């Protein structure tokens, strides 16, 4: 089936809108490098658009009516936005779902150590990564430190150009004869992904501070063991008022340092960390905020933990969404367990996650007729899964036909694809979890080159078509 390149279809006005959306998208990528940062950003954008915290509505004892806009947050890592439609909620919602966690490297709970004059943070990676891609490049540290008294300190080091950055070292090529013989999965091993964070002993930093202290104690300290680590702790104390023990209740994530950039002479693409799946999350959010009225209740659901199986309180398997829908029903149609089930059953969803874009450099991994192409528009997948579709949702043909009609009527560019060649690998999404309610769900999203690498590539045209497609869907 011939599908045209979306770039060839645009008017001047559309190109201007495409650029606006992509500029906004890049700034969201820069502000949201962790799931917590994404939720914070989503809340501020929602509030600006007139959304209210569902908790406040409940506390005030108010009801919800057509046109009302609310959001609910779970543990600062998952968010659901709702706009009440003209029809009763139990007639079903149009749900845009995507995930806001991305592959990365996490700091362990007892992380800080010193080895031969170098201070490190011990790490354990999160999600599927090619470990060798994360060494020898500038990295930043994002997250929170929660202290025993309940205060939360936010951490973000490495994004401002005046900030220091961090690095995971690799072995120099001159001594890498043995390393280079290894399989790619063993070239860099998990426990070798520790983050280099310091090389200077405590003495000088402590100088001014200990002038209050006893003078001779100073030199003792300087020569004490682990003076590099002590210096790091000193800095952490000054900067975040934290002690070593506070790492126990910290969530610190290591991600590539730096901003999202235009890619290519023609600036047609975006190169950035974390586009899986924030390219779907932010475009869903943009569409959700753009649509101010619709027949059906609209929902934008941004979840955590997809990269490790959608587990836990903030992953798609959590009851958070169902519970929130129950609250919405009670504030609109009146408390009813049956109506909650009807709502979920009657809903339809675009479960959006990135697709593997056809890569001519690795053509052998794809089957061209069933590949997603950069610039081909929003991608739909009837199936995902692996080895005979195991673990996949299956979007119903009737539902797909309705989507085709809606997308064609609104001139949205789209393509249908599968993830790579049969039996080469595969992947899962959150689609099958929501499908358990008996709702119509299809996997959709944006094609990405270099998926799960520290920097991933998308097409600006696909970002634009995603927003258009999501708007169309919310109005369906
Ligand atoms: Mn994903
Ligand atoms: Mn992924």
């Amino acid at each position: 089936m011939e599908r045209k390149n979306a770039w060839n279809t645009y008017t001047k006005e559309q190109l201007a809108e495409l650029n606006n959306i992509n500029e906004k998208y890049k700034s969201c990528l820069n502000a949201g490098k962790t799931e917590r940062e994404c939720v914070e950003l989503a809340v501020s954008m929602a509030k600006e658009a007139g959304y209210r915290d569902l908790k406040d509505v409940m506390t005030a004892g108010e009801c919800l009516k057509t046109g009302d806009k609310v959001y609910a947050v779970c543990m600062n890592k998952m968010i659901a936005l709702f706009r009440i439609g003209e029809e009763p909620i139990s007639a079903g919602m149009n749900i845009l779902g995507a995930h806001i966690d991305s592959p990365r490297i996490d700091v362990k709970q007892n992380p800080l150590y010193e080895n031969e004059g170098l201070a490190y943070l011990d790490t354990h990676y999160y999600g599927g990564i090619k470990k060798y891609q994360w060494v020898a490049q500038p990295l930043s540290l994002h997250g929170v430190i929660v202290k025993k008294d309940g205060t939360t300190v936010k951490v973000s080091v490495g994004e401002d150009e005046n900030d220091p950055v961090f690095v995971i070292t690799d072995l120099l090529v001159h001594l890498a004869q043995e390393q280079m013989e290894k399989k790619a999965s063993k070239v860099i091993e998990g426990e070798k992904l520790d983050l280099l964070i310091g090389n200077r002993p405590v003495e000088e930093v402590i100088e001014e501070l200990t002038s209050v202290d006893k003078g001779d104690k100073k030199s003792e300290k300087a020569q004490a063991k682990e003076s590099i680590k002590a210096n790091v702790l000193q800095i952490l104390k000054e900067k975040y008022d934290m002690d070593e023990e506070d790492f126990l209740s910290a969530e610190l994530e290591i991600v590539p340092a730096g901003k999202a950039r235009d890619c290519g002479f023609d600036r047609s693409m975006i190169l950035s960390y974390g586009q899986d799946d924030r390219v779907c999350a932010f475009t869903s959010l943009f569409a959700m905020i753009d649509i101010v009225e619709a027949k059906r209740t609209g929902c934008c659901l941004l979840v955590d933990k997809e990269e490790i199986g959608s587990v836990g309180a903030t992953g798609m398997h959590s009851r958070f969404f169902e519970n929130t829908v129950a609250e919405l029903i009670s504030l609109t149609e009146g408390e009813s367990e049956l109506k909650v089930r009807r709502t979920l059953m009657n809903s339809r969803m675009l479960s959006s996650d990135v697709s593997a874009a056809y890569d001519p450099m690795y053509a052998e991994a794809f089957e061209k007729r069933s590949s997603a192409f950069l610039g081909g528009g929003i991608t739909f997948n009837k199936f995902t899964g692996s080895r005979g579709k195991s673990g996949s949702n299956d979007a119903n043909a009737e539902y797909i036909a309705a989507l085709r009609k809606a997308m064609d009527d609104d001139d949205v560019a789209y393509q249908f694809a599968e993830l790579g060649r049969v039996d080469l690998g595969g992947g899962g999404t959150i689609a099958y979890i929501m499908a358990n309610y008996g709702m119509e769900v299809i996997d959709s999203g944006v094609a990405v080159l270099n998926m799960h690498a520290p920097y991933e590539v998308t097409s600006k045209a696909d970002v634009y078509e995603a927003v258009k497609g999501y708007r169309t869907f919310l109005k369906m």
Side-chain angles (χ1 to χ4, degrees):
M1 253 177 295
E2 257 333 285
R3 286 267 164 221
K4 45 190 170 179
N5 186 316
W7 285 105
N8 294 328
T9 65
Y10 297 139
T11 62
K12 245 189 178 168
E13 291 72 30
Q14 283 178 311
L15 282 172
E17 193 188 12
L18 178 152
N19 279 320
N20 282 339
I21 284 173
N22 278 283
E23 287 307 308
K24 196 162 74 164
Y25 169 52
K26 281 187 290 175
S27 64
C28 285
L29 284 172
N30 298 338
K33 290 188 123 178
T34 66
E35 55 283 7
R36 281 176 185 265
E37 289 174 357
C38 287
V39 165
E40 206 179 313
L41 183 61
V43 166
S44 77
M45 287 166 69
K47 276 186 177 167
E48 203 174 308
Y51 281 76
R52 297 171 63 200
D53 192 331
L54 180 61
K55 275 189 197 151
D56 295 339
V57 178
M58 286 159 64
T59 312
E62 294 173 38
C63 286
L64 291 173
K65 54 183 191 314
T66 302
D68 282 351
K69 295 178 282 190
V70 290
Y71 67 87
V73 170
C74 178
M75 295 183 188
N76 301 316
K77 296 182 208 170
M78 177 183 192
I79 183 170
L81 295 87
F82 300 89
R83 195 205 48 259
I84 312 298
E86 292 158 29
E87 292 176 8
I89 298 182
S90 55
M93 302 183 288
N94 288 359
I95 304 167
L96 292 172
H99 69 92
I100 46 176
D101 60 316
S102 294
R104 60 174 190 258
I105 298 173
D106 286 339
V107 174
K108 285 186 186 175
Q109 264 28 74
N110 298 303
L112 183 59
Y113 70 95
E114 177 177 335
N115 190 349
E116 300 302 330
L118 299 168
Y120 293 94
L121 290 177
D122 198 0
T123 68
H124 189 165
Y125 64 98
Y126 172 98
I129 61 169
K130 288 177 166 177
K131 281 159 259 183
Y132 65 79
Q133 291 178 333
W134 291 72
V135 297
Q137 62 170 304
L139 298 169
S140 62
L141 195 61
H142 293 244
V144 292
I145 300 153
V146 186
K147 290 185 270 187
K148 278 203 287 186
D149 65 3
T151 51
T152 300
V153 185
K154 278 189 212 163
V155 176
S156 173
V157 182
E159 300 302 341
D160 189 281
E161 62 181 60
N162 297 311
D163 278 358
V165 291
F166 310 96
V167 72
I168 297 164
T169 55
D170 192 2
L171 184 62
L172 62 165
V173 69
H174 312 67
L175 299 179
Q177 203 170 312
E178 284 174 11
Q179 186 197 33
M180 299 294 268
E181 299 299 319
K182 290 182 184 174
K183 279 166 57 180
S185 61
K186 299 274 180 192
V187 166
I188 303 287
E189 306 227 27
E191 284 294 357
K192 284 201 163 53
L193 287 177
D194 291 356
L195 192 69
L196 180 59
I197 57 164
N199 175 230
R200 180 172 173 173
V202 77
E203 190 179 23
E204 286 172 64
V205 178
I206 211 123
E207 196 136 32
E208 321 126 54
L209 294 168
T210 45
S211 54
V212 230
D213 232 327
K214 283 159 260 168
D216 47 326
K217 210 181 169 189
K218 185 179 66 186
S219 56
E220 247 173 62
K221 270 193 180 169
Q223 277 151 37
K225 265 192 182 171
E226 306 210 301
S227 59
I228 315 285
K229 175 181 165 179
N231 192 35
V232 169
L233 280 171
Q234 183 78 45
I235 293 164
L236 292 175
K237 183 77 188 171
E238 279 168 31
K239 209 168 153 60
Y240 304 115
D241 190 29
M242 74 175 281
D243 301 315
E244 189 173 1
E245 295 271 301
D246 290 325
F247 275 116
L248 294 173
S249 49
E251 286 175 6
L252 298 170
E253 304 179 7
I254 297 158
V255 299
K259 294 186 154 88
R261 306 283 293 267
D262 286 347
C263 181
F265 279 119
D266 56 8
R267 295 180 175 266
S268 58
M269 299 166 283
I270 289 175
L271 181 72
S272 170
Y273 166 69
Q275 297 200 75
D276 174 4
D277 182 35
R278 293 171 192 145
V279 67
C280 298
F282 289 131
T283 48
S284 291
L285 186 61
F286 295 166
M288 182 70 189
I289 283 172
D290 288 347
I291 298 298
V292 287
E293 54 176 45
K295 262 207 177 115
R296 282 161 73 92
T297 293
C299 170
C300 174
L301 176 63
L302 306 181
V303 299
D304 178 30
K305 297 290 182 288
E306 191 277 340
E307 296 293 356
I308 58 167
S310 296
V311 290
T314 57
M316 193 65 257
H317 280 297
S318 155
R319 293 279 180 267
F320 168 76
F321 182 69
E322 193 180 313
N323 295 345
T324 305
V325 170
E327 298 291 358
L328 279 190
I329 287 291
S330 95
L331 296 182
T332 49
E333 297 172 48
E335 207 173 310
S336 162
E337 180 60 26
L338 182 60
K339 281 187 175 170
V340 173
R341 292 194 219 174
R342 280 184 190 150
T343 304
L344 294 165
M345 177 96 151
N346 293 333
S347 289
R348 50 193 172 216
M349 181 183 197
L350 291 187
S351 169
S352 288
D353 205 341
V354 290
S355 274
Y358 183 84
D359 188 340
M361 291 296 118
Y362 298 94
E364 67 280 7
F366 298 88
E367 192 277 297
K368 244 181 172 176
R369 274 180 305 278
S370 297
S371 293
F373 289 83
L374 232 56
I378 186 170
T379 304
F380 292 106
N381 313 84
K382 180 170 165 64
F383 290 103
T384 58
S386 52
R387 297 174 308 280
K389 305 172 182 177
S390 178
S392 175
N393 173 55
D394 172 13
N396 214 21
E398 288 82 350
Y399 179 44
I400 295 181
L403 282 169
R404 283 175 55 208
K405 166 124 187 31
M407 297 296 151
D408 282 337
D409 286 351
D410 282 356
D411 283 324
V412 176
Y414 61 88
Q415 46 188 336
F416 274 78
E418 282 194 21
L419 180 63
R421 223 177 68 202
V422 171
D423 282 344
L424 203 58
T429 63
I430 61 172
Y432 74 96
I433 308 165
M434 291 293 267
N436 286 337
Y437 291 114
M439 71 173 72
E440 299 272 21
V441 185
I442 187 167
D443 278 286
S444 62
V446 175
V448 172
L449 283 171
N450 253 16
M451 195 194 292
H452 279 214
Y455 297 91
E456 303 168 310
V457 184
T458 55
S459 158
K460 288 183 177 178
D462 296 338
V463 170
Y464 179 49
E465 293 301 327
V467 174
K468 280 170 61 189
Y470 296 152
R471 285 176 187 156
T472 292
F473 173 75
L474 286 173
K475 286 186 289 183
M476 255 175 92

